[in-house]
């Protein structure tokens, strides 16, 4: 197909050759790279054409390739083929989508680690241990008891309990991997007019939220994502927390409270030029994952402001103290998101590991060796699904749907 549009033989493998590309007439002048399978990304024969990216060039080239028997790739098709040809496991395929979507250094590092196979290898290692356990348990079925070493089944049960503990620790990481993909959520909470929207705008550096002098302006939640020292942080500006008769504003307050409950960190902001500490409606959210922020320091803070320790003084108007506040938020994000052990990065991984744990727990309760072997088989199967060793078409469709065309 490629020779048909270059009217020349293929260049040597993996060398860039200059070629003219032909349709009914000359289309463009560019570079051609040839990667014969199986030593290519997909494992199949792959040619890469580098052309001048104009739409007319692309269209004429697509027509010429179609005339030679080709068709455009589906989104994620290259990666899907690489997966089917055993070049990648499913967690690595997902990592490619994550790498393409990565916006911060933290996200990029996590995606690259997963692409290197850290998560898949962890699951494969666990699966290998399960297979070894089931081989031992099967011996208990196949051989008479006097030929078997003492305590064979008890030993399998102990190993299964140890493994279940490792799996639980893997899940019990506060959702680090998923949050690194999706962002560390910071809710900005406080009374109307405390300066929540101004603070969000100042932190994000653009007018993401409406700032208005009338209290109760921000009725719905405004979100803005930024890269804070490499960590993805999503701020949400919420409706002012106060008791109100207006049903629309009341709904906003309800949403603010709900969001506050889900946030990884809460900024409890108050107007420090008129108050010594936040209102009671805001202080409800005080706790280890909350920072008190006295705003409007440019107007002079009320004496005795914030007797509570661990607070920050800022001025959303002049920018005073914002660098320090951003640093504290980045430190909280780093503490929550940083880690060297591979973490589950998707609900799919988490569910597979949970299923595996359930079968291991069932196994520890099983009395007959036959049942025990079956539980081990199902536990191993859950991990095999996680890395895509067993094809489950709807899982694959869901995974590859996130991809863009050309990957
Ligand atoms: P929100 O209701 O908590 O979102 O408060 P806004 O951000 O809408 O701000 C309420 C009012 O306070 C607006 O008039 C802002 O201009 C003003 N404001 C906000 N932050 C500061 C600040 O640091 N200093 C001063 N002087 N005014 C501020
Ligand atoms: Zn507001």
């Amino acid at each position: 197909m490629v020779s048909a549009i270059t009217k020349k033989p293929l260049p040597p493998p993996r060398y860039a050759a200059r070629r003219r590309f032909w349709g009914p007439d000359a289309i463009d002048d560019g570079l051609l790279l040839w990667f014969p399978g199986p030593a290519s990304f997909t494992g199949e024969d792959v040619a890469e054409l580098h052309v001048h990216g104009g739409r007319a060039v692309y269209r004429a080239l697509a027509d010429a390739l179609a005339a030679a028997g080709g068709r455009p790739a589906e989104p994620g098709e290259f990666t899907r083929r690489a997966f089917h040809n055993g070049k990648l496991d499913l967690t690595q395929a997902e990592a490619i989508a994550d790498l393409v979507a990565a916006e911060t250094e933290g996200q990029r590092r996590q995606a690259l680690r997963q692409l290197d196979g850290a998560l898949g290898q962890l699951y494969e290692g666990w699966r290998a241990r399960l297979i070894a356990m089931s081989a031992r348990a099967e011996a208990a079925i196949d051989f008479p008891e006097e030929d078997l070493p003492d305590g064979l089944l008890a030993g399998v049960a102990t190993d299964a309990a140890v493994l279940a503990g490792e799996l639980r620790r893997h899940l019990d990481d506060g959702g680090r991997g998923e949050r690194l993909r999706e962002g560390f959520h910071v809710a900005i909470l406080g009374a109307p007019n405390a300066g929540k929207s101004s603070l969000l705008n100042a932190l994000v550096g653009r007018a993401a939220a409406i700032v208005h002098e009338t209290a109760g302006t921000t009725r719905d939640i405004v979100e803005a994502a930024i890269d804070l020292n490499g960590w993805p942080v999503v701020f949400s500006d919420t409706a002012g927390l106060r008791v109100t008769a207006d049903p629309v504003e009341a709904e906003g307050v309800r949403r603010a409270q709900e969001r506050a409950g889900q946030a990884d960190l809460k900024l409890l902001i108050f107007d420090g030029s008129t108050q010594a500490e936040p209102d009671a409606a805001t202080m409800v959210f005080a706790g280890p994952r909350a920072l008190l922020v006295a705003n409007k320091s440019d107007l002079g803070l009320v004496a005795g402001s914030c007797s509570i320790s661990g607070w920050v003084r800022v001025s959303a108007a002049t920018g005073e103290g914002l660098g320090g506040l951003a640093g504290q938020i980045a430190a909280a994000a780093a503490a929550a998101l940083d880690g060297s052990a591979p973490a589950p990065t998707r609900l799919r991984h988490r569910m597979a590991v949970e299923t595996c744990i359930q079968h291991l727990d069932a196994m520890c309760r099983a009395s007959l060796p036959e049942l025990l072997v079956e539980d081990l088989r199902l536990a191993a199967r859950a991990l095999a699904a996680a890395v895509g060793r067993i094809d489950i078409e709807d899982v694959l469709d869901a995974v590859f749907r996130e991809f863009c065309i050309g990957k």
Side-chain angles (χ1 to χ4, degrees):
M1 187 191 305
V2 179
S3 303
I5 66 158
T6 57
K7 302 184 177 177
K8 278 197 175 176
L10 288 165
R14 293 177 297 280
Y15 277 89
R18 185 162 167 197
R19 288 284 189 277
R20 170 142 292 197
F21 300 112
W22 293 88
D25 56 358
I27 297 171
D28 193 7
D29 225 17
L31 295 176
L32 173 66
L33 281 129
W34 171 238
F35 303 93
S40 68
F41 172 67
T42 61
E44 300 166 12
D45 291 347
V46 176
E48 258 182 42
L49 281 56
H50 296 243
V51 295
H52 299 97
R55 206 169 307 185
V57 169
Y58 171 76
R59 201 178 315 122
L61 203 53
D63 287 347
L65 286 166
R71 66 161 174 83
E74 310 275 337
E77 186 170 351
F78 287 99
T79 311
R80 194 169 184 153
R81 288 188 184 205
F83 165 72
H84 276 298
N85 292 326
K87 292 277 174 180
L88 302 166
D89 73 27
L90 199 51
T91 65
Q92 289 173 304
E94 287 168 328
I96 290 181
D98 289 351
L99 206 47
V100 172
E103 290 188 339
T104 74
E105 285 294 289
Q107 290 173 322
R108 182 185 61 71
R109 277 196 302 271
Q110 169 165 279
L112 190 63
R113 204 157 27 180
Q114 190 169 318
L115 181 58
D116 284 342
L119 189 63
Q121 279 159 20
L122 184 67
Y123 291 172
E124 285 289 6
W126 283 335
R127 203 175 70 91
R129 279 161 63 185
L130 285 166
I131 291 167
M133 284 178 217
S134 41
R136 280 156 62 205
E138 265 179 68
I141 303 174
D142 295 343
F143 296 99
E145 211 178 320
E146 54 274 18
D147 294 348
L148 294 170
D150 284 346
L152 179 86
L153 286 181
V156 171
T158 311
D159 290 354
V162 170
L163 180 59
E166 287 176 42
L167 295 172
R168 285 202 167 87
R169 277 195 295 285
H170 176 64
L171 293 184
D172 187 23
D173 68 344
R176 169 166 59 86
E178 289 118 310
R179 276 196 294 169
L180 187 48
R181 275 187 75 228
E182 288 152 21
F184 181 79
H185 281 265
V186 179
I188 305 178
L189 302 163
N193 267 323
K196 296 178 295 298
S197 304
S198 306
L199 181 71
L200 174 77
N201 292 343
L203 283 168
V204 173
R206 64 186 159 88
I210 321 148
V211 180
H212 202 276
E213 281 176 42
T214 327
T217 309
T218 312
R219 290 180 165 177
D220 209 341
I221 293 165
V222 177
E223 282 199 340
I226 60 168
D227 175 340
L228 211 54
N229 299 354
W231 304 113
V233 175
V234 182
F235 288 100
S236 42
D237 179 19
T238 59
L241 298 172
R242 67 169 178 183
V243 179
T244 169
D246 176 353
V248 180
E249 194 188 342
E251 173 60 16
V253 172
R254 197 195 61 73
R255 288 188 197 178
Q257 286 165 337
E258 186 182 86
R259 178 62 58 97
Q262 300 158 352
D264 300 313
L265 180 71
K266 286 158 260 195
L267 302 184
L268 309 185
I269 175 170
F270 62 102
D271 179 346
S273 70
T274 60
Q275 286 175 278
E277 62 173 60
D279 294 355
T282 304
M283 281 307 277
V284 171
F285 296 102
R289 292 194 299 162
L291 286 177
L292 291 188
V293 182
N295 188 32
K296 310 197 186 182
S297 64
D298 56 301
L299 301 178
L301 296 186
V302 181
S305 182
C306 250
S307 43
I308 309 130
S309 66
W311 65 286
V312 223
R313 57 180 284 160
V314 302
S315 166
T318 66
E320 188 205 339
L322 287 181
L325 177 59
Q328 290 208 33
I329 297 167
L337 305 180
D338 206 3
S340 51
T345 54
R346 280 172 168 72
L347 186 60
R348 194 181 74 73
H349 307 153
R350 196 167 282 284
M351 282 166 62
V353 175
E354 269 164 13
T355 307
C356 184
I357 292 174
Q358 280 162 16
H359 290 300
L360 285 176
D361 287 349
M363 193 222 101
C364 291
R365 290 190 304 267
S367 45
L368 294 173
E370 286 80 0
L371 294 178
L372 201 139
V373 168
E374 177 63 6
D375 283 325
L376 285 173
R377 193 185 67 77
L378 291 171
R381 192 184 150 83
L383 294 178
V387 295
R389 242 176 204 282
I390 34 181
D391 281 16
I392 304 169
E393 281 306 316
D394 51 343
V395 172
L396 296 184
D397 287 343
V399 167
F400 289 102
R401 216 172 11 241
E402 320 176 10
F403 278 75
C404 47
I405 292 174
K407 286 288 170 308

